Amino acid sequence: KTQIIRELSLYHSNGDEQLGPYGAFGYDLTFQFEPMILSQKRSLKQCDLVMYLPDEIVVVDQTKRDAWSISYNSCIHGSSTQAFLV
C-alpha cells in the first residue's frame, strides 16, 4: 500500500499543480484495506485501481467561474503523444 503512494509521488510536478496521476478506484479496492468475508467470486484479472498520466485535462475553477484546458506531450522510449494533440 505504501509502495503505491511512493510510485504515484514520482509523477508529481512542483512546477504544474495540475500535472500528476489521475485514475479510477474500484469499489473492491476497499478489500485491500479492510478485512472482509467476500460473498461474490472475483476474477484475479480484475483491476481495483487504474492510474494514468493525461494528455489533456480540463480545469474548472468554481470560485473564479473559469475553465481552461491544458495539453501535455509525453515521451516514452522515443514515442510521443504529440501526434494525438490537436
Side-chain angles (χ1 to χ4, degrees):
K1 293 150 187 121
T2 56
Q3 180 66 28
I4 292 172
I5 302 302
R6 216 174 291 126
E7 293 290 327
L8 291 177
S9 69
L10 294 174
Y11 298 100
H12 174 74
S13 170
N14 290 330
D16 184 344
E17 62 186 27
Q18 306 301 332
L19 180 61
Y22 288 76
F25 300 90
Y27 176 78
D28 285 1
L29 185 63
T30 305
F31 303 143
Q32 303 294 324
F33 302 96
E34 297 289 330
M36 296 183 181
I37 298 172
L38 302 178
S39 59
Q40 302 289 324
K41 289 186 177 187
R42 286 166 170 78
S43 168
L44 295 176
K45 295 180 181 180
Q46 176 177 312
C47 292
D48 296 332
L49 172 67
V50 177
M51 302 299 292
Y52 63 94
L53 285 172
D55 289 331
E56 184 173 24
I57 59 173
V58 175
V59 181
V60 179
D61 187 328
Q62 296 289 349
T63 305
K64 294 179 181 177
R65 300 180 64 92
D66 195 11
W68 61 94
S69 66
I70 304 171
S71 297
Y72 298 99
N73 179 30
S74 302
C75 296
I76 300 173
H77 304 296
S79 296
S80 170
T81 59
Q82 187 65 37
F84 299 110
L85 300 176
V86 177

